[in-house]
Each structure stands twice: as C-alpha cells, then as structure tokens.
Amino acid sequence: MSNDNIILTTKDFTILEVLRDRHHDQTGLLMPLIRNKMEKAIVVFREDLPGDIASINSRVRFRVAAGESDTRVISTGQTHGPVGMFLPITTLRGLALLGLREGQAMSLVNMNGVTEKIVLEKVEYQPEASRREREALGQEELTAERKPMLRVISGGLDRHRCMSSFVAGGFDDPGPSAA
C-alpha cells in the first residue's frame, strides 16, 4: 500500500497541529513527517474511523525492516508508564505509524541517516472501535450509571475547621515527634 493513505481522527489531527506549533525538533526529522501526515491526511470523526487504522492510544504490532515484530501503544508522549510499553508520536516510529492501515508501510530516515521501512502489521486495540462495540452492546449506558456523581455543596467546608491557629514562631502543630 502507498504511504499516501493516512487517516486521522479530528482529535489526532488537532494533536499533530499542536505538536507542529509547539514542538522543538532538535533533529530536524520530525517536522517534515508531521507536515507530510497533515497534508496527506483524510480527517474523520472518531465514529467513522475504520478499526484497522492506528490512532493515538491504539495498541499496535509493527515491524521495522526485516526485524522482529514489536507491540506498543501509540501515545502522545505524556504517558508515564512502564518503559517499553508506549511509542510516543514525538518519536519518528510512533509518528510514522499514526494513521496507517494494517499492512501499510512507511519509509523514513532515522536519526542515523538510514532509511528504514516500518510496517503496521496489526491494530490489536483501537479506542474508537472499542467505544463503538460498547455502544452497540449498550454497555456505555451501564458504565455511565456506575460512575460516581460529583455534587458541589455550597458551604460544604466549615471555615472554622479549615483555619489553623497560629502561635509565635509558626503553626500550633507539635509535628510527628508528638505522636
């Protein structure tokens, strides 16, 4: 498949716009790839995204050149989790995979100046497809019912309890040694 076929959700496209406007590309390799994705992208609503397209927060299986397959979650780069679980779009490989369809490949020049071909083998989980499945099963309503409701209560805090008493030299708190 040609790497001209890029499909992004409106959210993913907006994230690329922000990345383009705010990211400092020290290598000079990320910005051309971002611009290329944005220029060639077909932008769809999340409800219309086919289930075999890699979107942000999708778990994908991919291969670089003739190497072994690897599985990662495409992220925005702001995720704090186990090392090796995420592939941020702030990296060349993460950005290259975003918007690809299963079986589609993209060539890119890596940090060492070597051209490498990255192939999206399988989208193992896609949040947009998962949401559609839950809605079809009617589970979206059940999930909403189980979530705790937040209620703002006027005057919920007693002002007198929140005020600390002061003594000369600081708070009237004996500290942990008093325990």
Side-chain angles (χ1 to χ4, degrees), residues 32 61 109 161:
R61 187 175 70 233
V109 177
R161 282 189 301 149

Side-chain angles (χ1 to χ4, degrees), residues 27 29 92-93 108-116:
T27 64
L29 298 172
L92 289 169
R93 290 180 180 176
L108 58 99
V109 177
N110 67 19
M111 302 283 284
N112 299 324
V114 177
T115 301
E116 62 183 30

Side-chain angles (χ1 to χ4, degrees), residues 43 45 59 62 99 117 171 175 179:
V43 181
F45 293 112
R59 185 175 56 248
F62 65 97
K117 181 179 173 183
F171 289 103

Side-chain angles (χ1 to χ4, degrees), residues 16-172:
L16 286 184
E17 284 181 317
V18 170
L19 191 60
R20 178 198 62 200
D21 294 342
R22 295 186 184 169
H23 189 71
H24 303 290
D25 185 14
Q26 288 86 6
T27 64
L29 298 172
L30 208 55
M31 280 306 140
L33 188 53
I34 292 172
R35 287 188 195 101
N36 182 39
K37 290 262 180 186
M38 292 177 70
E39 288 170 8
K40 295 181 179 180
I42 298 169
V43 181
V44 299
F45 293 112
R46 69 180 177 197
E47 297 84 17
D48 300 326
L49 186 69
D52 62 346
I53 302 291
S55 63
I56 292 177
N57 295 323
S58 291
R59 185 175 56 248
V60 297
R61 187 175 70 233
F62 65 97
R63 178 177 33 85
V64 177
E68 293 185 26
S69 294
D70 195 2
T71 301
R72 302 282 179 94
V73 175
I74 298 176
S75 70
T76 58
Q78 301 169 348
T79 307
H80 303 287
V83 174
M85 184 175 181
F86 297 99
L87 185 60
I89 60 169
T90 54
T91 65
L92 289 169
R93 290 180 180 176
L95 183 58
L97 288 168
L98 183 65
L100 295 185
R101 183 179 298 272
E102 289 177 359
Q104 192 173 2
M106 178 172 270
S107 295
L108 58 99
V109 177
N110 67 19
M111 302 283 284
N112 299 324
V114 177
T115 301
E116 62 183 30
K117 181 179 173 183
I118 188 165
V119 179
L120 177 62
E121 293 180 334
K122 179 83 174 143
V123 176
E124 295 180 350
Y125 170 83
Q126 182 199 74
E128 294 81 5
S130 176
R131 180 183 179 140
R132 286 191 299 269
E133 289 172 11
R134 284 192 318 269
E135 286 174 352
L137 295 173
Q139 292 180 347
E140 198 65 29
E141 296 168 6
L142 294 175
T143 306
E145 288 176 12
R146 284 185 276 181
K147 290 183 181 177
M149 298 296 293
L150 175 67
R151 293 187 341 170
V152 178
I153 301 172
S154 178
L157 287 178
D158 183 12
R159 296 190 95 185
H160 300 289
R161 282 189 301 149
C162 294
M163 298 177 71
S164 298
S165 60
F166 287 95
V167 295
F171 289 103
D172 185 20

